[in-house]
Amino acid sequence: MEDVAKPPHLQRRKYAFYYRRAVPAELRPALNRAEFVVSLKTLSFAEAKRRYAELHAEVERQLERARAGLGGPGVQAVTNGLGLQTGVDAFIRMASEARLADLERADGIALASSWPSDLATALDEIEREADHYANPDTEWRHVQVAANQIIQETGFQIERGSAAFWSLCQALNNAQLEHLKRHFVRLCGKRAPFAHRPTGFETVSISQRVTGQASAALSADVVTVAELVARFEADPRRASVRQKTKDSAYAPAKKLLLEVCGADTRAEQVKRSDLQRVRSVLMDLPPRVAQRYRGATLIEAAKLARANGEDRLSPKTIDNQLIWVTAFFNFAEREQLIQSNPARQLTLGSAGTRSQRPAWTVAELNLLFSAPVFAGCVDDERHWNAPGTSRPKRGRYWVPLLALFQGLRMNEACQLFTDDVFSDDGVMVLRVASNASRGQQTKKNDVRLVPLHPTLVALGFASGSPMEATAVPMFPELTRDKHGSATNAFSKWFARLQRELGITRKGVVFHSLRHNFADAMRRADISPERSDALGGWATPSSARRGYGHGLRPADLASDIAKVEYPGLNIDHLEL
């Protein structure tokens, strides 16, 4: 097994590995720096270790020279192949590159959450800001605060008001201008109209020098893969996609695309062979790769998983990731950012297949509902698995029952509000619907009104707070993530509950309860149209839902009552 332990002073950031090492306090005056921070310019752990060895040796030599020269003349600047050098010039360049990276990172986050509603006004503001930074009469007053802060944080010895200080201000000013140029391109796909050319960013700048044939290239929109990802995520046509889905559901595809192609690679340079490699790595990845191989890149994790003979992602999961890659390059082609789409027909062709996830057996269901959180516990928080006399009927109690007797998906149950249960025509009704203002979202934004199962009514689900005038979350105690979703935390808790009970049969998870619900409707001979209405499935048989007003909850009450589980013993749940 390959050693994935990281050497000292090696850090992995979002788009590259870095060498970062503090300089001993007694050597800082000689080296005129507080630490070494150098990008290794790769996301490959193996390549980073190779470059690390060369760089680490150079740093050791400089430290030795500093020790030998204490009290004497300062250490001379030494440069290696990675661009490491001591002295003021190196510090200024490093500070300006870090400033640009911070600005770009903040811009990507801002655009991902909110695209400007008035593009023309936004572009005008960028031009005005660029004019301000390009004005030589300002003496860089607007960046002096940033320069002072950098000096204070790093401990680097630059006297304020000295020539070196003004050089630092100029470099930070140029970083701001370069960022504005890039920001302008991201918003409208055109070359920035302001003419000031910042120095020090020739190798990474979107804005190229206009010389001969290069002038034609400047008229086109040139974006890197990382910049294109930010623009795709901020596309108004993807506004209906939940931020949690953007951040986590397709994270492997995004991360792997950046690893294989390179964050700073121009999007138009991505080849079909690059995406074939993305697909190949996905086919070698194991489930829960982030937990299994912490700190490793996806490419490294795939090699280790293959060597260890671990389980791989299912074809459907792989295709879900590849569908994101295809949509990403469809967007780039539609926006005329690339000439041709290298991701066409990239999937494995399994997207139309249905997973054969098993349902729970009756024995497993009886074991589940005999757990203390249902039968009696100390409390349903920290001591949910300790037998006791308390029976708090809250989220951890109701959500599994709602899945079994109503067929609700986990997120549909966790996000219910008190006014989602009400009476209509003498029938207790459960509403499952999207509501952006309340953070509720259903699959395909469907809305369904279904009658409550008699068992849930008998257990007291409709006798609590659903009739309150002010709508509040039905299960406010459930832990929610930064997106307001309780699904992630609840899923982890339920998986732990299964392990504690010894329910470890492959494929049996919370969502399997929905399969039990579907099987129960088949046993009751409920028609496909009514089954679709009760469970919220979109199938060819449900295409006619678009005609007429559909089935009322009262029409479905007799059907939901037929959902039974012979052999299930829940008499102890205070019927």
Side-chain angles (χ1 to χ4, degrees), residues 212-228:
Q213 297 89 350
S215 60
L218 256 179
S219 63
D221 186 8
V222 181
V223 294
T224 66
V225 174
E227 290 165 344
L228 187 55

PDB file of all heavy atoms in Angstrom, residues 212-228:
ATOM      1  N   GLY A 212       0.844  41.021 -32.403  1.00  0.00           N
ATOM      2  CA  GLY A 212       0.627  40.204 -33.587  1.00  0.00           C
ATOM      3  C   GLY A 212      -0.628  39.359 -33.464  1.00  0.00           C
ATOM      4  O   GLY A 212      -1.724  39.853 -33.266  1.00  0.00           O
ATOM      5  N   GLN A 213      -0.420  37.999 -33.555  1.00  0.00           N
ATOM      6  CA  GLN A 213      -1.551  37.088 -33.531  1.00  0.00           C
ATOM      7  C   GLN A 213      -2.267  37.101 -32.182  1.00  0.00           C
ATOM      8  O   GLN A 213      -3.421  36.698 -32.086  1.00  0.00           O
ATOM      9  CB  GLN A 213      -1.071  35.659 -33.824  1.00  0.00           C
ATOM     10  CG  GLN A 213      -0.468  35.491 -35.210  1.00  0.00           C
ATOM     11  CD  GLN A 213       1.022  35.784 -35.217  1.00  0.00           C
ATOM     12  OE1 GLN A 213       1.557  36.282 -34.224  1.00  0.00           O
ATOM     13  NE2 GLN A 213       1.666  35.520 -36.334  1.00  0.00           N
ATOM     14  N   ALA A 214      -1.614  37.531 -31.116  1.00  0.00           N
ATOM     15  CA  ALA A 214      -2.253  37.510 -29.789  1.00  0.00           C
ATOM     16  C   ALA A 214      -3.425  38.469 -29.705  1.00  0.00           C
ATOM     17  O   ALA A 214      -4.309  38.302 -28.881  1.00  0.00           O
ATOM     18  CB  ALA A 214      -1.239  37.857 -28.711  1.00  0.00           C
ATOM     19  N   SER A 215      -3.467  39.506 -30.558  1.00  0.00           N
ATOM     20  CA  SER A 215      -4.563  40.469 -30.490  1.00  0.00           C
ATOM     21  C   SER A 215      -5.892  39.815 -30.827  1.00  0.00           C
ATOM     22  O   SER A 215      -6.923  40.162 -30.262  1.00  0.00           O
ATOM     23  CB  SER A 215      -4.296  41.625 -31.460  1.00  0.00           C
ATOM     24  OG  SER A 215      -4.183  41.127 -32.786  1.00  0.00           O
ATOM     25  N   ALA A 216      -5.866  38.830 -31.741  1.00  0.00           N
ATOM     26  CA  ALA A 216      -7.102  38.133 -32.073  1.00  0.00           C
ATOM     27  C   ALA A 216      -7.583  37.287 -30.908  1.00  0.00           C
ATOM     28  O   ALA A 216      -8.776  37.184 -30.635  1.00  0.00           O
ATOM     29  CB  ALA A 216      -6.893  37.255 -33.305  1.00  0.00           C
ATOM     30  N   ALA A 217      -6.638  36.682 -30.199  1.00  0.00           N
ATOM     31  CA  ALA A 217      -7.009  35.843 -29.065  1.00  0.00           C
ATOM     32  C   ALA A 217      -7.660  36.659 -27.958  1.00  0.00           C
ATOM     33  O   ALA A 217      -8.524  36.165 -27.234  1.00  0.00           O
ATOM     34  CB  ALA A 217      -5.783  35.113 -28.521  1.00  0.00           C
ATOM     35  N   LEU A 218      -7.242  37.925 -27.822  1.00  0.00           N
ATOM     36  CA  LEU A 218      -7.796  38.751 -26.760  1.00  0.00           C
ATOM     37  C   LEU A 218      -9.260  39.078 -26.981  1.00  0.00           C
ATOM     38  O   LEU A 218      -9.987  39.357 -26.035  1.00  0.00           O
ATOM     39  CB  LEU A 218      -6.994  40.053 -26.659  1.00  0.00           C
ATOM     40  CG  LEU A 218      -6.019  40.153 -25.492  1.00  0.00           C
ATOM     41  CD1 LEU A 218      -5.299  41.478 -25.535  1.00  0.00           C
ATOM     42  CD2 LEU A 218      -6.713  39.957 -24.181  1.00  0.00           C
ATOM     43  N   SER A 219      -9.695  39.047 -28.235  1.00  0.00           N
ATOM     44  CA  SER A 219     -11.086  39.391 -28.498  1.00  0.00           C
ATOM     45  C   SER A 219     -12.033  38.279 -28.084  1.00  0.00           C
ATOM     46  O   SER A 219     -13.227  38.480 -27.981  1.00  0.00           O
ATOM     47  CB  SER A 219     -11.273  39.688 -29.999  1.00  0.00           C
ATOM     48  OG  SER A 219     -10.982  38.525 -30.751  1.00  0.00           O
ATOM     49  N   ALA A 220     -11.504  37.067 -27.835  1.00  0.00           N
ATOM     50  CA  ALA A 220     -12.341  35.955 -27.414  1.00  0.00           C
ATOM     51  C   ALA A 220     -12.375  35.884 -25.894  1.00  0.00           C
ATOM     52  O   ALA A 220     -11.538  36.450 -25.217  1.00  0.00           O
ATOM     53  CB  ALA A 220     -11.804  34.647 -27.991  1.00  0.00           C
ATOM     54  N   ASP A 221     -13.360  35.130 -25.384  1.00  0.00           N
ATOM     55  CA  ASP A 221     -13.468  34.940 -23.939  1.00  0.00           C
ATOM     56  C   ASP A 221     -12.554  33.793 -23.537  1.00  0.00           C
ATOM     57  O   ASP A 221     -12.754  32.664 -23.968  1.00  0.00           O
ATOM     58  CB  ASP A 221     -14.920  34.614 -23.600  1.00  0.00           C
ATOM     59  CG  ASP A 221     -15.137  34.549 -22.104  1.00  0.00           C
ATOM     60  OD1 ASP A 221     -14.218  34.896 -21.363  1.00  0.00           O
ATOM     61  OD2 ASP A 221     -16.244  34.162 -21.701  1.00  0.00           O
ATOM     62  N   VAL A 222     -11.547  34.080 -22.756  1.00  0.00           N
ATOM     63  CA  VAL A 222     -10.584  33.070 -22.328  1.00  0.00           C
ATOM     64  C   VAL A 222     -10.772  32.842 -20.838  1.00  0.00           C
ATOM     65  O   VAL A 222     -10.535  33.739 -20.039  1.00  0.00           O
ATOM     66  CB  VAL A 222      -9.135  33.511 -22.630  1.00  0.00           C
ATOM     67  CG1 VAL A 222      -8.159  32.430 -22.196  1.00  0.00           C
ATOM     68  CG2 VAL A 222      -8.978  33.835 -24.101  1.00  0.00           C
ATOM     69  N   VAL A 223     -11.203  31.649 -20.463  1.00  0.00           N
ATOM     70  CA  VAL A 223     -11.445  31.348 -19.056  1.00  0.00           C
ATOM     71  C   VAL A 223     -10.744  30.055 -18.702  1.00  0.00           C
ATOM     72  O   VAL A 223     -10.558  29.171 -19.536  1.00  0.00           O
ATOM     73  CB  VAL A 223     -12.952  31.219 -18.752  1.00  0.00           C
ATOM     74  CG1 VAL A 223     -13.658  32.532 -18.935  1.00  0.00           C
ATOM     75  CG2 VAL A 223     -13.589  30.142 -19.614  1.00  0.00           C
ATOM     76  N   THR A 224     -10.346  29.953 -17.451  1.00  0.00           N
ATOM     77  CA  THR A 224      -9.748  28.726 -16.954  1.00  0.00           C
ATOM     78  C   THR A 224     -10.845  27.766 -16.525  1.00  0.00           C
ATOM     79  O   THR A 224     -12.015  28.145 -16.403  1.00  0.00           O
ATOM     80  CB  THR A 224      -8.823  29.002 -15.769  1.00  0.00           C
ATOM     81  OG1 THR A 224      -9.620  29.469 -14.674  1.00  0.00           O
ATOM     82  CG2 THR A 224      -7.760  30.035 -16.120  1.00  0.00           C
ATOM     83  N   VAL A 225     -10.456  26.528 -16.268  1.00  0.00           N
ATOM     84  CA  VAL A 225     -11.422  25.524 -15.821  1.00  0.00           C
ATOM     85  C   VAL A 225     -12.057  25.950 -14.498  1.00  0.00           C
ATOM     86  O   VAL A 225     -13.270  25.855 -14.319  1.00  0.00           O
ATOM     87  CB  VAL A 225     -10.745  24.147 -15.680  1.00  0.00           C
ATOM     88  CG1 VAL A 225     -11.709  23.131 -15.063  1.00  0.00           C
ATOM     89  CG2 VAL A 225     -10.248  23.647 -17.038  1.00  0.00           C
ATOM     90  N   ALA A 226     -11.234  26.447 -13.563  1.00  0.00           N
ATOM     91  CA  ALA A 226     -11.769  26.871 -12.264  1.00  0.00           C
ATOM     92  C   ALA A 226     -12.747  28.026 -12.418  1.00  0.00           C
ATOM     93  O   ALA A 226     -13.797  28.064 -11.761  1.00  0.00           O
ATOM     94  CB  ALA A 226     -10.630  27.263 -11.331  1.00  0.00           C
ATOM     95  N   GLU A 227     -12.426  28.981 -13.282  1.00  0.00           N
ATOM     96  CA  GLU A 227     -13.320  30.127 -13.495  1.00  0.00           C
ATOM     97  C   GLU A 227     -14.616  29.674 -14.162  1.00  0.00           C
ATOM     98  O   GLU A 227     -15.698  30.191 -13.863  1.00  0.00           O
ATOM     99  CB  GLU A 227     -12.617  31.173 -14.343  1.00  0.00           C
ATOM    100  CG  GLU A 227     -11.482  31.865 -13.603  1.00  0.00           C
ATOM    101  CD  GLU A 227     -10.560  32.641 -14.525  1.00  0.00           C
ATOM    102  OE1 GLU A 227     -10.599  32.416 -15.748  1.00  0.00           O
ATOM    103  OE2 GLU A 227      -9.786  33.450 -14.007  1.00  0.00           O
ATOM    104  N   LEU A 228     -14.510  28.700 -15.062  1.00  0.00           N
ATOM    105  CA  LEU A 228     -15.700  28.197 -15.734  1.00  0.00           C
ATOM    106  C   LEU A 228     -16.602  27.451 -14.760  1.00  0.00           C
ATOM    107  O   LEU A 228     -17.830  27.533 -14.858  1.00  0.00           O
ATOM    108  CB  LEU A 228     -15.299  27.279 -16.893  1.00  0.00           C
ATOM    109  CG  LEU A 228     -16.429  26.793 -17.808  1.00  0.00           C
ATOM    110  CD1 LEU A 228     -17.217  27.971 -18.376  1.00  0.00           C
ATOM    111  CD2 LEU A 228     -15.864  25.945 -18.938  1.00  0.00           C
TER     112      LEU A 228
END
